[in-house]
């Protein structure tokens, strides 16, 4: 089934809470383990949440298993390469 991407970057309560906690911790990069720790979700549900956030353009896959928050200042942009120094450090 092909899903069409919505142009808006909407957040549900769980993903909004995750984004807020990541911002509070000063973390632009995160892994599924971080999603699980912050939300209390199972591994399967945490991966599903991360995938939904990628689909909405809220986060971008930086590497396998590594995600990066897409700054809201980029508007409707859904891709973000971020800082190569941050990625190298991760």
């Amino acid at each position: 089934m092909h899903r069409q991407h919505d142009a808006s970057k909407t957040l549900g309560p769980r993903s909004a809470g995750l984004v807020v906690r990541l911002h509070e911790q000063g973390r632009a990069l995160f892994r599924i383990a971080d999603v699980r720790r912050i939300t209390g979700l199972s591994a399967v549900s945490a991966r599903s949440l991360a995938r939904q956030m990628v689909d909405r353009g809220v986060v971008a896959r930086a590497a396998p298993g590594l995600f990066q928050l897409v700054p809201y200042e980029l508007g409707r942009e859904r891709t973000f390469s971020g800082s190569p120094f941050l990625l190298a450090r991760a």
Side-chain angles (χ1 to χ4, degrees):
M1 180 165 101
H2 177 64
R3 290 189 342 201
Q4 190 175 21
H5 291 290
D6 185 351
S8 64
K9 294 185 179 185
T10 59
L11 296 174
R14 186 163 281 142
S15 54
L18 175 61
V19 169
V20 167
R21 288 290 303 275
L22 290 168
H23 277 293
E24 287 174 348
Q25 296 172 6
R27 301 195 54 204
L29 292 171
F30 63 96
R31 298 183 182 280
I32 295 298
D34 300 313
V35 176
R36 291 187 69 199
R37 181 179 44 78
I38 291 169
T39 64
L41 292 171
S42 69
V44 171
S45 294
R47 283 192 299 273
S48 177
L49 179 63
R51 183 179 55 251
Q52 290 169 8
M53 293 175 74
V54 169
D55 290 346
R56 292 181 181 147
V58 176
V59 302
R61 278 190 176 83
L66 183 65
F67 300 88
Q68 185 166 20
L69 292 171
V70 175
Y72 277 99
E73 299 85 46
L74 295 180
R76 295 178 190 217
E77 184 62 41
R78 293 178 174 276
T79 57
F80 179 64
S81 59
S83 166
F85 299 110
L86 262 178
L87 290 174
R89 206 171 95 195

